[in-house]
Amino acid sequence: MAGNLALPLQEFIASLENTCLPKILQVCSGVYFQGSIYEISGSEVCFSTGDLIKVIGIELQSVSCEDVTNNEKFELPITHTGLFKVVPEQMPYTSVEEMLSMRPVCLDDSLPFTFTSHSKMTFGSLKLGAGKALTVLSVEKREGEEDMVRCHIKGQTETSAEVCIPLSSRGEFSECESEECYTLKEIMASPCLRSRRFRFVKTTKCERILVLSPVYQIQAIMNCKKNVLRFPSSLEVDVVDVTDVCKDANFVTPLNLTEVLSQPDESFPVVAEILEEPESRSFFKCAWLPGLVKSTNLILHKKGTTPMVLMSNLKGRKTQQYFLVSLQYGGRFRRRPREFNSVYEVYVASTQTHSLTVSVTRNCEEVEEEGLPGLSIGERLQIVDCTRMELPCENNKGEKQSVEALLCHRLQEPDDEEEDDEDEEEEKDKQKEAKEEVLLPLYMQGHFVEVLGGNKKYKLCDLGKEFSLPLDVKVVSRDTELETDPLVAFPCLRIEGAMLEPSIQASFPDRPDHCFHLLPQWLSLSVSFTEDALPWPRDQFPKCFTEKVSEMTDTFFYEFRKKGNSDEAPPPRPPKRDMSSSNLVKKKSKSSKKSSKPKKNKDKSVVTEKLNDLTLNNKKRPPAPLPPDGVNNEPPPLVPRKFSAADITSKAKPNTYVKINQPLKRDHVCDVAADVESDHDYETVDETLVAVVKTAQENVMFY
């Protein structure tokens, strides 16, 4: 190491590129000695003189700015949007060739630029005085002759001329300040620009001359530690490059999961130690996730590609849950009818399902102006094709409009009565003849449910072959290999999509036969292979049980949808209508069924209309019925009470507004006739109730 030059860490790292990594450095000197500890962003980094550091990655984080006048330092983020200008060098150049070679960027990109000569120059018959400005336009290379620089000269009377100057011309030349501006990213990307001085453009600090230096975050490992270190390149430590000398030094090799996938198959199974925990746990809700902590061992059994599907429960009383299910899942499924909230959703489903049939689940009122047909609950529609239809309404320009619509066949409902086979065949023939075509505009809102036939059970792998996704299913028989099958508890599950994921089969040493999948695309984890023995006898691999259902978070679902998002066209918008008052009035609903339908269906439609009157579908409630003709609006007159002398002396004065009927003798109750001409319609008080009231009054008087 005697011939190697010690450099400050920041200067050495600034000269590196990711393509030349890794590099082995040795700490040789600095303000930190005998093992100092730097606490940076919550992590302790300890360097001692003589320590070996293996740099495995660098990432530009910020830019250090030093004011050359007062040595003041500050940092700017690499995303800083301010612009900078190159400050011309104070020392003059001795030749034109030297000046061109020191341009801050490529010569072709920096042209044109202007310079001056401190002395007089003579080129043939042309003489230039000292301080004359020349603008370099191009460099002309001539075979067998000296290269020339073509320059533009402006005279005092706004005359101009071009002159060719030999590249080897000597003298004292100084460059003039250029109007070219640069961002921090452009400056840091060019080694020539990084060597120049700059000043701010259009700020109050534009007079400050700055030296810009990149600040990297260094990712490194040490020969005495297993964890990956991260520290800035601005540490005041001097280092020496000893890569060629210390090739055989023993360093822990950290591997992320993507790098683990690139390892040969012969490397598995292997015991690996976790060097870095997952940075984000927002994708998984698995039971094994909390066990992925630093310094914990994992058994990596094998690598491969696992086909999976993403499932979700439909929104309802329970919270939304998502599951990543392997195609090795052994349960059985049965299809569930899909629900649609618009004709456009029905159209999308019809492109994925042949001969789709739906049933109407909510009444739809006919609106003739918009071409919306009337639909009743229970009607079955068979999707035929997507076509165009003309609307009866006109736009603001008085033109007819045509929109996309779904052509359907309205199927006749089968009778509930039992019939013979011959009658059933005749009924089917009648249904074929009685099919009615209905056009549903794609922008129409409605409520439909898919009509399914049969109760066939499917394996998970068969569902993807026979049907397109998304698909609604229900688990009808659980996977017997699972201790607890979380999918059985849901009445309906939706298969959102399928994926083919690179995965690593892993387990913990205390339960080597209970395996799970590590997905490098969704999990950030750093491990290192160890030489520890596997927890089973040699060549006697245990029978492994691999987790087939993993619960995921909604964040995983959203990211999955982003990756699989296609540029689908949005649902169509309703057409523009003529806003005149004559066209805004809605016409009454008309029956869209033909008279050839059975009488039973007519009766059903009448009942449906009566039920509709009881719902809130109408915008205005019907007015209340009028009272009978013989009823007036005057309240009944009050009858004054008559009191006896005994009642006045012995009882409290009763309420004037309460009438207490006197008890009647039992033998005269039946003889009392109703007073038809009386203005009162009080009910006759029962004799037993009168006796109870009298007893209560006597008890009150006694006390």
Side-chain angles (χ1 to χ4, degrees):
M1 292 186 296
N4 293 344
L5 179 64
L7 296 174
L9 178 63
Q10 183 163 355
E11 182 179 344
F12 180 82
I13 295 298
S15 63
L16 289 180
E17 295 182 1
N18 279 309
T19 56
C20 65
L21 296 179
K23 286 286 187 180
I24 301 177
L25 309 179
Q26 186 177 35
V27 179
C28 60
S29 63
V31 296
Y32 305 102
F33 55 94
Q34 293 182 353
S36 300
I37 294 178
Y38 316 84
E39 181 146 352
I40 304 159
S41 301
S43 60
E44 292 183 353
V45 180
C46 178
F47 293 137
S48 301
T49 301
D51 281 348
L52 295 179
I53 304 173
K54 187 175 184 179
V55 179
I56 58 176
I58 56 176
E59 182 181 358
L60 184 61
Q61 293 289 319
S62 59
V63 177
S64 175
C65 306
E66 182 179 2
D67 192 335
V68 297
T69 57
N70 54 13
N71 296 328
E72 179 186 352
K73 290 185 178 182
F74 58 94
E75 287 191 8
L76 293 175
I78 192 61
T79 56
H80 180 70
T81 57
L83 298 177
F84 298 83
K85 279 187 176 181
V86 177
V87 177
E89 295 290 343
Q90 296 179 353
M91 293 293 294
Y93 300 100
T94 58
S95 67
V96 175
E97 184 177 6
E98 180 187 3
M99 180 178 58
L100 294 180
S101 64
M102 297 299 294
R103 295 303 302 156
V105 291
C106 178
L107 181 60
D108 294 337
D109 296 335
S110 63
L111 296 179
F113 74 94
T114 305
F115 70 96
T116 59
S117 175
H118 295 184
S119 58
K120 294 181 180 180
M121 299 180 64
T122 302
F123 305 102
S125 60
L126 181 62
K127 295 182 179 180
L128 299 177
K132 196 68 176 178
L134 293 89
T135 301
V136 179
L137 300 178
S138 62
V139 177
E140 297 180 357
K141 295 184 179 181
R142 303 176 181 179
E143 295 183 3
E145 298 181 9
E146 186 179 3
D147 294 342
M148 307 293 286
V149 179
R150 181 174 295 277
C151 301
H152 178 269
I153 305 173
K154 183 176 290 188
Q156 295 180 354
T157 59
E158 297 185 358
T159 58
S160 59
E162 290 186 3
V163 62
C164 290
I165 302 174
L167 195 62
S168 59
S169 300
R170 302 189 66 82
E172 291 187 358
F173 306 99
S174 297
E175 59 178 328
C176 300
E177 185 177 20
S178 174
E179 296 299 324
E180 189 74 22
C181 299
Y182 305 94
T183 63
L184 282 182
K185 288 185 178 180
E186 293 173 340
I187 296 172
M188 293 298 107
S190 171
C192 294
L193 280 177
R194 288 203 302 262
S195 64
R196 301 299 298 268
R197 297 180 301 172
F198 296 85
R199 65 178 180 86
F200 286 105
V201 178
K202 296 181 181 180
T203 63
T204 56
K205 302 178 180 180
C206 60
E207 301 300 327
R208 302 176 66 178
I209 300 177
L210 305 174
V211 175
L212 307 181
S213 303
V215 178
Y216 294 89
Q217 184 187 49
I218 302 174
Q219 186 178 0
I221 54 178
M222 299 180 67
N223 61 337
C224 57
K225 293 184 179 181
K226 293 183 178 181
N227 58 317
V228 179
L229 306 179
R230 286 183 172 84
F231 53 91
S233 61
S234 56
L235 292 180
E236 297 180 4
V237 177
D238 291 345
V239 294
V240 176
D241 185 2
V242 292
T243 304
D244 297 334
V245 180
C246 301
K247 289 183 179 179
D248 299 330
N250 186 18
F251 287 92
V252 173
T253 304
L255 301 172
N256 57 37
L257 294 183
T258 303
E259 293 171 338
V260 172
L261 287 175
S262 63
Q263 300 300 313
D265 295 336
E266 295 77 15
S267 303
F268 302 93
V270 65
V271 179
E273 182 182 355
I274 298 177
L275 300 181
E276 288 185 341
E277 302 177 7
E279 296 179 358
S280 175
R281 300 173 182 263
S282 59
F283 291 148
F284 298 86
K285 281 188 177 180
C286 310
W288 47 263
L289 186 62
L292 302 181
V293 295
K294 188 176 178 179
S295 302
T296 302
N297 284 349
L298 282 176
I299 300 175
L300 306 182
H301 294 260
K302 60 181 179 179
K303 62 175 184 176
T305 304
T306 306
M308 298 179 174
V309 297
L310 179 62
M311 291 187 177
S312 66
N313 68 316
L314 299 183
K315 293 182 180 179
R317 295 181 180 178
K318 296 184 178 181
T319 57
Q320 192 86 358
Q321 291 180 268
Y322 304 93
F323 299 93
L324 204 56
V325 185
S326 170
L327 287 189
Q328 301 300 323
Y329 178 79
R332 295 294 185 271
F333 297 86
R334 186 173 289 156
R335 291 185 61 197
R336 294 277 293 177
R338 290 172 288 181
E339 296 182 0
F340 311 103
N341 295 322
S342 66
V343 176
Y344 181 77
E345 293 181 11
V346 177
Y347 161 69
V348 174
S350 67
T351 60
Q352 304 169 350
T353 306
H354 180 66
S355 299
L356 177 65
T357 303
V358 296
S359 177
V360 181
T361 59
R362 190 176 298 181
N363 292 338
C364 296
E365 183 181 358
E366 180 183 2
V367 183
E368 187 174 342
E369 293 88 346
E370 298 182 3
L372 305 182
L375 300 176
S376 301
I377 295 176
E379 287 186 344
R380 300 169 73 137
L381 303 174
Q382 184 179 12
I383 312 304
V384 179
D385 193 10
C386 183
T387 181
R388 299 193 70 85
M389 63 176 290
E390 284 193 1
L391 299 180
C393 64
E394 300 177 349
N395 57 15
N396 297 332
K397 299 180 180 179
E399 300 173 349
K400 286 287 186 179
Q401 301 182 86
S402 66
V403 296
E404 288 185 313
L406 205 58
L407 176 61
C408 309
H409 283 163
R410 180 178 277 149
L411 304 179
Q412 185 175 345
E413 297 180 6
D415 294 337
D416 297 334
E417 299 177 0
E418 297 181 358
E419 298 178 351
D420 298 334
D421 295 340
E422 296 180 359
D423 296 339
E424 289 180 359
E425 292 179 1
E426 293 179 359
E427 183 66 25
K428 290 181 180 178
D429 295 338
K430 291 181 180 179
Q431 288 180 8
K432 291 181 180 178
E433 296 176 358
K435 283 183 179 178
E436 178 186 352
E437 290 187 354
V438 181
L439 288 173
L440 305 178
L442 293 188
Y443 57 80
M444 176 179 175
Q445 297 297 315
H447 297 271
F448 311 91
V449 64
E450 184 179 9
V451 178
L452 299 177
N455 292 322
K456 184 179 177 181
K457 297 180 181 179
Y458 301 89
K459 293 182 180 179
L460 184 58
C461 56
D462 296 335
L463 285 173
K465 297 177 182 178
E466 298 188 24
F467 306 101
S468 57
L469 303 181
L471 185 67
D472 292 348
V473 295
K474 174 180 171 54
V475 179
V476 292
S477 60
R478 63 183 297 272
D479 189 340
T480 56
E481 295 183 359
L482 298 179
E483 296 179 1
T484 56
D485 191 345
L487 303 182
V488 180
F490 298 99
C492 185
L493 292 167
R494 173 163 293 175
I495 304 178
E496 302 285 353
M499 62 185 75
L500 198 62
E501 285 292 326
S503 62
I504 302 168
Q505 184 177 323
S507 66
F508 293 108
D510 55 344
R511 301 183 69 185
D513 56 336
H514 285 67
C515 300
F516 48 88
H517 290 290
L518 299 176
L519 306 181
Q521 187 177 356
W522 304 97
L523 189 65
S524 175
L525 191 69
S526 179
V527 299
S528 66
F529 289 177
T530 66
E531 298 180 358
D532 296 348
L534 296 169
W536 57 74
R538 189 174 182 180
D539 299 333
Q540 294 183 9
F541 299 99
K543 183 179 180 181
C544 295
F545 162 76
T546 306
E547 187 180 72
K548 301 176 184 178
V549 182
S550 303
E551 186 174 0
M552 315 301 287
T553 63
D554 53 353
T555 308
F556 176 87
F557 172 71
Y558 300 142
E559 291 296 326
F560 172 77
R561 293 294 295 269
K562 284 181 183 178
K563 292 188 176 184
N565 187 22
S566 59
D567 298 332
E568 297 179 356
R573 300 178 61 183
K576 295 181 179 180
R577 294 178 296 173
D578 188 2
M579 302 306 293
S580 61
S581 58
S582 60
N583 291 334
L584 289 177
V585 180
K586 278 190 175 182
K587 297 182 181 180
K588 294 183 179 180
S589 301
K590 298 181 180 180
S591 175
S592 58
K593 295 186 178 181
K594 291 185 178 179
S595 58
S596 60
K597 289 195 173 184
K599 185 177 180 180
K600 178 181 178 181
N601 292 339
K602 291 183 179 180
D603 296 338
K604 285 186 178 181
S605 63
V606 172
V607 175
T608 303
E609 290 179 1
K610 291 181 179 180
L611 289 176
N612 287 340
D613 295 338
L614 300 178
T615 61
L616 299 178
N617 291 341
N618 297 328
K619 294 185 177 180
K620 294 183 179 180
R621 296 182 59 184
L626 297 175
D629 297 337
V631 179
N632 52 16
N633 295 330
E634 297 180 0
L638 296 176
V639 179
R641 304 278 183 179
K642 295 182 180 181
F643 306 101
S644 61
D647 293 335
I648 295 175
T649 56
S650 60
K651 297 181 181 179
K653 187 176 180 179
N655 194 336
T656 308
Y657 298 96
V658 179
K659 178 180 179 181
I660 301 177
N661 294 340
Q662 297 294 331
L664 302 176
K665 292 184 179 180
R666 186 178 184 85
D667 53 346
H668 295 291
V669 171
C670 298
D671 299 333
V672 177
D675 188 1
V676 180
E677 298 178 357
S678 175
D679 294 333
H680 308 291
D681 56 352
Y682 299 137
E683 295 180 358
T684 304
V685 181
D686 187 43
E687 183 181 22
T688 306
L689 179 59
V690 173
V692 173
V693 173
K694 182 178 179 181
T695 304
Q697 291 176 348
E698 291 175 355
N699 293 336
V700 172
M701 292 171 58
F702 177 78
Y703 286 99

